[in-house]
Amino acid sequence: MIPAPLFSAQNLVKHFRLKGGLLGSSRGVVRAVDNVSFDLAEGETLGIVGESGCGKSTTARLIVDLISPDAGTITLGGKLLGKHISARELRRQIQMVFQDSYASLNPRLTMEDAIAFGPKVNGMSPQQAARLAHELLERVGLEPRRFAGRYPHELSGGQRQRVNIARALAFSPKIVVLDESVSALDKSVEAQVLNLLADLKAELGLTYVFISHDLNVVRHMSDRVMVMYLGQVAEIGTVEAIYSAPAHPYTAALLSAMPSMDPDRRTMEAPLTGDPPNPINPPAGCRFHTRCKHADTICAAVEPGLFGLPGEGHQVACHIHIPGSNHRNRGVEA
Ligand code: SF4
C-alpha cells in the first residue's frame, strides 16, 4: 500500500487582482497559481523550478499559509487545513527560509533573541527559549558564545542565513520551504549552507521544498522536481526522469540553457527565446505554445492536462504525450 503523503496540495488557485483602474476598479487579474496539485512524501526534497513569474514563490507562500488560496485544498498529515488542522498549527509545522537573510531578521534583536522569539510567543519560558537558541546556534555551526549576542549587521550573509535556518528549526517543523534561500550567497558559502541543509535533513528527518532558479543546485538537492510555467505545472517527476529524459519541451529548453563547463555540451542556439507571456492574460490552450518549437494547431486550442508517463510519478502536461491528441509529433521526445 502506498503511504499517505505528508503534505498534499490539490487544485490550488491564487489570483491577484490588480488595482488602479477607473474609480478603484480592477485592471485585471494576475493568475499566479492556476490549478496546481502535488504531494510531498515524508523525508523527500521536492525541487520547484521555472523562470521568474512562473508561480513558484506564490506556491511556496501557499504551502506555508502566508497567503490563502482562492480555491483548492491543503492537507498536512492527512488533516485538511481549516477543518482538521488550524492555520496556526500548520504554520508551526511548516517553516520557511527566504532569500534575503538580512530582511528576514529584526535589526534590533540579537541572534539569541531572534531564535528564542518564536518559542517564547508559543509559551516557552525565557530560560528554556534561550537554552534552545544556544543549542540551535551550535547545530547550524555558529558557536553560541561568539554569536548569541550579535546583531544581524555584525554577521555575514552566510551566517545570517544559518540563523534563519535555526529560527525555522526552533518550531521543530516537519517541512521546511527554502525559497531561493542560498541564491544570494557566494558559491563557496552556498556550498557550505547546502551541506548544512543536507545534514539537518538527515539528522532531523525533515522534508524540504527547495525552490531555486539554479538547476544544478536543484539537481544536487532534490529527490523529485516540479517544473512550473505561467502558474501551472508543466512536468513533475524524479530527478533522474526530469534531468535525463525531460518530456515537456519547456523542461528540455530550460535544461539545455543550463551553463555547462563541458565544451562538447555547449548550446549553440538559444533554447528559449523571449520572456514568458503576461500572466494577466495567459495564452489559451497550452500556455507555452507561443514559445514552443513543437507547437501544433491543438496546442493553442486545448489546454493539456497532466498525463502520467512510465516511471515513478512522472507526469507531463503536453499534447505530444497525450494519446489521441492528434499532435503531429505524438510520441516524439521533447
Ligand atoms: Fe509545445 Fe504543444 Fe506540448 Fe505545449 S502542448 S509544450 S505547445 S507541443
Side-chain angles (χ1 to χ4, degrees):
M1 202 173 79
I2 300 169
L6 173 61
F7 175 94
S8 181
Q10 294 301 317
N11 309 109
L12 288 185
V13 174
K14 185 68 190 178
H15 293 174
F16 295 105
R17 218 159 270 290
L18 287 176
K19 297 218 175 78
L22 222 51
L23 300 172
S25 61
S26 169
R27 282 191 295 124
V29 170
V30 177
R31 298 166 69 160
V33 168
D34 236 353
N35 204 19
V36 165
S37 301
F38 60 93
D39 290 339
L40 274 177
E42 189 164 3
E44 78 165 336
T45 297
L46 175 71
I48 305 184
V49 299
E51 292 161 291
S52 65
C54 71
K56 49 190 194 303
S57 286
T58 304
T59 303
R61 281 157 179 72
L62 288 168
I63 295 171
V64 295
D65 198 48
L66 266 181
I67 52 174
S68 302
D70 299 331
T73 58
I74 283 177
T75 50
L76 178 65
K79 295 178 181 165
L80 187 64
L81 175 62
K83 192 167 182 200
H84 307 119
I85 184 168
S86 66
R88 184 187 161 95
E89 180 55 20
L90 180 123
R91 286 189 210 123
R92 197 191 62 72
Q93 296 198 34
I94 308 180
Q95 290 290 309
M96 185 152 165
V97 180
F98 297 87
Q99 177 174 3
D100 189 337
S101 65
Y102 194 73
S104 303
L105 292 166
N106 183 333
R108 287 194 214 55
L109 289 186
T110 63
M111 296 305 97
E112 177 185 311
D113 290 339
I115 299 169
F117 182 80
K120 277 197 281 191
V121 169
N122 279 278
M124 196 180 271
S125 73
Q127 294 80 3
Q128 267 182 314
R131 229 183 352 259
L132 176 65
H134 282 237
E135 275 170 32
L136 288 170
L137 279 171
E138 185 95 56
R139 187 153 230 166
V140 297
L142 298 173
E143 200 190 321
R145 271 189 308 175
R146 278 181 61 209
F147 289 95
R150 291 197 192 177
Y151 290 88
H153 71 272
E154 297 175 300
L155 270 62
S156 69
Q159 289 165 343
R160 278 197 298 269
Q161 211 52 314
R162 286 173 186 264
V163 173
N164 283 317
I165 293 167
R167 278 175 72 214
L169 297 181
F171 292 88
S172 303
K174 288 195 163 79
I175 299 171
V176 181
V177 179
L178 301 147
D179 187 6
E180 300 279 5
S181 307
V182 294
S183 305
L185 305 177
D186 292 344
K187 275 291 158 199
S188 63
V189 179
E190 178 189 72
Q192 291 166 13
V193 176
L194 289 175
N195 285 339
L196 170 68
L197 288 169
D199 291 347
L200 290 170
K201 183 179 173 224
E203 274 172 42
L204 305 173
L206 295 168
T207 301
Y208 287 157
V209 176
F210 190 86
I211 297 170
S212 176
H213 64 277
D214 185 333
L215 292 161
N216 282 314
V217 171
V218 169
R219 180 183 211 164
H220 174 70
M221 291 297 286
S222 309
D223 300 298
R224 288 189 306 133
V225 177
M226 181 163 91
V227 182
M228 292 187 71
Y229 186 76
L230 272 186
Q232 295 185 322
V233 178
E235 185 169 4
I236 185 165
T238 60
V239 165
E240 295 73 35
I242 296 291
Y243 282 78
S244 45
H248 198 288
Y250 178 60
T251 314
L254 275 184
L255 292 176
S256 57
M258 268 169 81
S260 171
M261 298 307 285
D262 180 351
D264 293 337
R265 299 195 56 212
R266 297 254 164 93
T267 317
M268 300 311 284
E269 78 183 273
L272 203 50
T273 51
D275 293 327
N278 192 337
I280 297 173
N281 194 12
C286 170
R287 292 186 179 183
F288 188 54
H289 84 260
T290 53
R291 300 166 85 194
C292 180
K293 63 182 181 184
H294 301 291
D296 200 358
T297 321
I298 188 173
C299 302
V302 180
E303 186 176 309
L306 277 172
F307 180 78
L309 298 173
E312 199 189 330
H314 193 181
Q315 291 183 300
V316 64
C318 172
H319 287 301
I320 291 176
H321 301 278
I322 299 177
S325 74
N326 289 331
H327 190 288
R328 67 169 189 275
N329 291 357
R330 255 270 314 133
V332 176
E333 281 182 16

PDB file of all heavy atoms in Angstrom, residues 55-70:
ATOM      1  N   GLY A  55       5.280  31.290 -10.768  1.00  0.00           N
ATOM      2  CA  GLY A  55       4.380  30.949  -9.667  1.00  0.00           C
ATOM      3  C   GLY A  55       5.040  30.145  -8.568  1.00  0.00           C
ATOM      4  O   GLY A  55       4.377  29.729  -7.623  1.00  0.00           O
ATOM      5  N   LYS A  56       6.374  29.964  -8.639  1.00  0.00           N
ATOM      6  CA  LYS A  56       6.998  29.108  -7.623  1.00  0.00           C
ATOM      7  C   LYS A  56       6.991  29.768  -6.234  1.00  0.00           C
ATOM      8  O   LYS A  56       6.735  29.082  -5.241  1.00  0.00           O
ATOM      9  CB  LYS A  56       8.395  28.626  -8.040  1.00  0.00           C
ATOM     10  CG  LYS A  56       9.380  29.649  -8.549  1.00  0.00           C
ATOM     11  CD  LYS A  56      10.592  28.930  -9.139  1.00  0.00           C
ATOM     12  CE  LYS A  56      11.800  29.820  -9.377  1.00  0.00           C
ATOM     13  NZ  LYS A  56      11.594  30.988 -10.240  1.00  0.00           N
ATOM     14  N   SER A  57       7.220  31.082  -6.176  1.00  0.00           N
ATOM     15  CA  SER A  57       7.216  31.726  -4.857  1.00  0.00           C
ATOM     16  C   SER A  57       5.797  31.849  -4.306  1.00  0.00           C
ATOM     17  O   SER A  57       5.594  31.734  -3.085  1.00  0.00           O
ATOM     18  CB  SER A  57       7.879  33.109  -4.924  1.00  0.00           C
ATOM     19  OG  SER A  57       9.274  32.919  -5.029  1.00  0.00           O
ATOM     20  N   THR A  58       4.809  32.063  -5.189  1.00  0.00           N
ATOM     21  CA  THR A  58       3.415  32.094  -4.704  1.00  0.00           C
ATOM     22  C   THR A  58       3.041  30.711  -4.177  1.00  0.00           C
ATOM     23  O   THR A  58       2.380  30.590  -3.139  1.00  0.00           O
ATOM     24  CB  THR A  58       2.464  32.520  -5.844  1.00  0.00           C
ATOM     25  OG1 THR A  58       2.893  33.780  -6.350  1.00  0.00           O
ATOM     26  CG2 THR A  58       1.033  32.653  -5.342  1.00  0.00           C
ATOM     27  N   THR A  59       3.477  29.671  -4.864  1.00  0.00           N
ATOM     28  CA  THR A  59       3.219  28.307  -4.387  1.00  0.00           C
ATOM     29  C   THR A  59       3.840  28.113  -3.005  1.00  0.00           C
ATOM     30  O   THR A  59       3.207  27.551  -2.101  1.00  0.00           O
ATOM     31  CB  THR A  59       3.798  27.270  -5.385  1.00  0.00           C
ATOM     32  OG1 THR A  59       3.207  27.513  -6.660  1.00  0.00           O
ATOM     33  CG2 THR A  59       3.513  25.848  -4.956  1.00  0.00           C
ATOM     34  N   ALA A  60       5.079  28.619  -2.825  1.00  0.00           N
ATOM     35  CA  ALA A  60       5.744  28.499  -1.516  1.00  0.00           C
ATOM     36  C   ALA A  60       4.910  29.176  -0.434  1.00  0.00           C
ATOM     37  O   ALA A  60       4.714  28.618   0.657  1.00  0.00           O
ATOM     38  CB  ALA A  60       7.131  29.132  -1.582  1.00  0.00           C
ATOM     39  N   ARG A  61       4.400  30.357  -0.727  1.00  0.00           N
ATOM     40  CA  ARG A  61       3.615  31.098   0.269  1.00  0.00           C
ATOM     41  C   ARG A  61       2.289  30.416   0.567  1.00  0.00           C
ATOM     42  O   ARG A  61       1.772  30.495   1.684  1.00  0.00           O
ATOM     43  CB  ARG A  61       3.418  32.545  -0.198  1.00  0.00           C
ATOM     44  CG  ARG A  61       4.661  33.385   0.053  1.00  0.00           C
ATOM     45  CD  ARG A  61       4.782  34.602  -0.832  1.00  0.00           C
ATOM     46  NE  ARG A  61       5.984  35.367  -0.506  1.00  0.00           N
ATOM     47  CZ  ARG A  61       7.248  34.979  -0.802  1.00  0.00           C
ATOM     48  NH1 ARG A  61       7.452  33.831  -1.450  1.00  0.00           N
ATOM     49  NH2 ARG A  61       8.274  35.711  -0.469  1.00  0.00           N
ATOM     50  N   LEU A  62       1.748  29.741  -0.429  1.00  0.00           N
ATOM     51  CA  LEU A  62       0.516  28.975  -0.194  1.00  0.00           C
ATOM     52  C   LEU A  62       0.799  27.766   0.706  1.00  0.00           C
ATOM     53  O   LEU A  62       0.004  27.429   1.581  1.00  0.00           O
ATOM     54  CB  LEU A  62      -0.084  28.500  -1.526  1.00  0.00           C
ATOM     55  CG  LEU A  62      -0.720  29.594  -2.398  1.00  0.00           C
ATOM     56  CD1 LEU A  62      -0.997  29.058  -3.804  1.00  0.00           C
ATOM     57  CD2 LEU A  62      -2.009  30.115  -1.773  1.00  0.00           C
ATOM     58  N   ILE A  63       1.950  27.134   0.491  1.00  0.00           N
ATOM     59  CA  ILE A  63       2.290  25.939   1.283  1.00  0.00           C
ATOM     60  C   ILE A  63       2.375  26.290   2.773  1.00  0.00           C
ATOM     61  O   ILE A  63       1.892  25.551   3.626  1.00  0.00           O
ATOM     62  CB  ILE A  63       3.634  25.320   0.810  1.00  0.00           C
ATOM     63  CG1 ILE A  63       3.528  24.798  -0.616  1.00  0.00           C
ATOM     64  CG2 ILE A  63       4.076  24.208   1.751  1.00  0.00           C
ATOM     65  CD1 ILE A  63       4.862  24.365  -1.223  1.00  0.00           C
ATOM     66  N   VAL A  64       2.988  27.454   3.076  1.00  0.00           N
ATOM     67  CA  VAL A  64       3.162  27.816   4.494  1.00  0.00           C
ATOM     68  C   VAL A  64       2.001  28.650   5.019  1.00  0.00           C
ATOM     69  O   VAL A  64       2.047  29.160   6.133  1.00  0.00           O
ATOM     70  CB  VAL A  64       4.500  28.566   4.743  1.00  0.00           C
ATOM     71  CG1 VAL A  64       5.676  27.672   4.456  1.00  0.00           C
ATOM     72  CG2 VAL A  64       4.597  29.837   3.911  1.00  0.00           C
ATOM     73  N   ASP A  65       0.971  28.835   4.180  1.00  0.00           N
ATOM     74  CA  ASP A  65      -0.222  29.591   4.560  1.00  0.00           C
ATOM     75  C   ASP A  65       0.089  31.053   4.884  1.00  0.00           C
ATOM     76  O   ASP A  65      -0.548  31.668   5.724  1.00  0.00           O
ATOM     77  CB  ASP A  65      -0.930  28.921   5.754  1.00  0.00           C
ATOM     78  CG  ASP A  65      -2.370  29.408   5.877  1.00  0.00           C
ATOM     79  OD1 ASP A  65      -3.073  29.422   4.854  1.00  0.00           O
ATOM     80  OD2 ASP A  65      -2.778  29.811   6.983  1.00  0.00           O
ATOM     81  N   LEU A  66       1.101  31.617   4.210  1.00  0.00           N
ATOM     82  CA  LEU A  66       1.334  33.062   4.320  1.00  0.00           C
ATOM     83  C   LEU A  66       0.246  33.805   3.557  1.00  0.00           C
ATOM     84  O   LEU A  66      -0.072  34.942   3.859  1.00  0.00           O
ATOM     85  CB  LEU A  66       2.698  33.425   3.715  1.00  0.00           C
ATOM     86  CG  LEU A  66       3.889  33.494   4.645  1.00  0.00           C
ATOM     87  CD1 LEU A  66       5.136  33.882   3.871  1.00  0.00           C
ATOM     88  CD2 LEU A  66       3.644  34.466   5.790  1.00  0.00           C
ATOM     89  N   ILE A  67      -0.275  33.162   2.523  1.00  0.00           N
ATOM     90  CA  ILE A  67      -1.437  33.660   1.788  1.00  0.00           C
ATOM     91  C   ILE A  67      -2.424  32.501   1.641  1.00  0.00           C
ATOM     92  O   ILE A  67      -2.014  31.342   1.669  1.00  0.00           O
ATOM     93  CB  ILE A  67      -1.056  34.221   0.388  1.00  0.00           C
ATOM     94  CG1 ILE A  67      -0.216  33.198  -0.397  1.00  0.00           C
ATOM     95  CG2 ILE A  67      -0.326  35.539   0.479  1.00  0.00           C
ATOM     96  CD1 ILE A  67       0.076  33.613  -1.830  1.00  0.00           C
ATOM     97  N   SER A  68      -3.702  32.842   1.503  1.00  0.00           N
ATOM     98  CA  SER A  68      -4.719  31.788   1.393  1.00  0.00           C
ATOM     99  C   SER A  68      -5.068  31.570  -0.071  1.00  0.00           C
ATOM    100  O   SER A  68      -5.143  32.531  -0.847  1.00  0.00           O
ATOM    101  CB  SER A  68      -5.983  32.191   2.138  1.00  0.00           C
ATOM    102  OG  SER A  68      -5.676  32.427   3.467  1.00  0.00           O
ATOM    103  N   PRO A  69      -5.307  30.322  -0.451  1.00  0.00           N
ATOM    104  CA  PRO A  69      -5.689  30.078  -1.846  1.00  0.00           C
ATOM    105  C   PRO A  69      -7.118  30.567  -2.124  1.00  0.00           C
ATOM    106  O   PRO A  69      -7.941  30.632  -1.211  1.00  0.00           O
ATOM    107  CB  PRO A  69      -5.601  28.554  -1.971  1.00  0.00           C
ATOM    108  CG  PRO A  69      -5.766  28.033  -0.581  1.00  0.00           C
ATOM    109  CD  PRO A  69      -5.243  29.088   0.339  1.00  0.00           C
ATOM    110  N   ASP A  70      -7.377  30.930  -3.382  1.00  0.00           N
ATOM    111  CA  ASP A  70      -8.751  31.272  -3.789  1.00  0.00           C
ATOM    112  C   ASP A  70      -9.570  29.997  -3.923  1.00  0.00           C
ATOM    113  O   ASP A  70     -10.794  30.015  -3.773  1.00  0.00           O
ATOM    114  CB  ASP A  70      -8.743  32.000  -5.142  1.00  0.00           C
ATOM    115  CG  ASP A  70      -7.954  33.301  -5.064  1.00  0.00           C
ATOM    116  OD1 ASP A  70      -7.917  33.885  -3.973  1.00  0.00           O
ATOM    117  OD2 ASP A  70      -7.363  33.697  -6.091  1.00  0.00           O
TER     118      ASP A  70
END
